[in-house]
Amino acid sequence: LHVGLAIHNYGIQEYMQHSVKTNEVFEQSMTFVDGYLHPGDNPGIGVEFNEEAAAAYPYKQAYLPYNRLVDGTVHDW
C-alpha cells in the first residue's frame, strides 16, 4: 500500500482481506472501504504485532512433500 502511494503511476494494488485471527495478531491501521485502501495514521507501516494474541497460535513445523527417499533416490509421490 505504501509503495503504491509513493509511485504516481502505480498500476493495480491487489488486496486479500485477512482472517479474524490474523487481524488479532497483526493489528493494522489501514482500512478497506468502497474498494479503496486507506493507509491510516499510525507511524511506520501501520502494523503492530500483538505478542499475547500470537501466543495462542504456536508454530507447528510443516513439510512440503518431496520425492526423495532418505538415501537420495527419487520416487513417485
Side-chain angles (χ1 to χ4, degrees):
L1 176 59
H2 288 266
V3 171
L5 290 172
I7 300 173
H8 74 279
N9 63 345
Y10 194 77
I12 296 173
Q13 177 71 50
E14 295 183 16
Y15 176 68
M16 182 182 84
Q17 293 184 354
H18 302 288
S19 69
V20 174
K21 293 178 182 179
T22 302
N23 287 331
E24 288 174 7
V25 176
F26 300 99
E27 300 166 355
Q28 308 165 38
S29 65
M30 71 177 186
T31 57
F32 182 72
V33 180
D34 296 329
Y36 292 96
L37 284 169
H38 303 276
D41 295 328
N42 290 5
I45 61 172
V47 179
E48 294 291 328
F49 180 68
N50 185 335
E51 291 186 40
E52 292 176 6
Y57 309 103
Y59 176 72
K60 297 176 186 172
Q61 188 168 2
Y63 297 95
L64 293 173
Y66 56 93
N67 59 345
R68 289 199 181 267
L69 298 174
V70 176
D71 65 359
T73 57
V74 177
H75 71 96
D76 191 9
W77 294 355

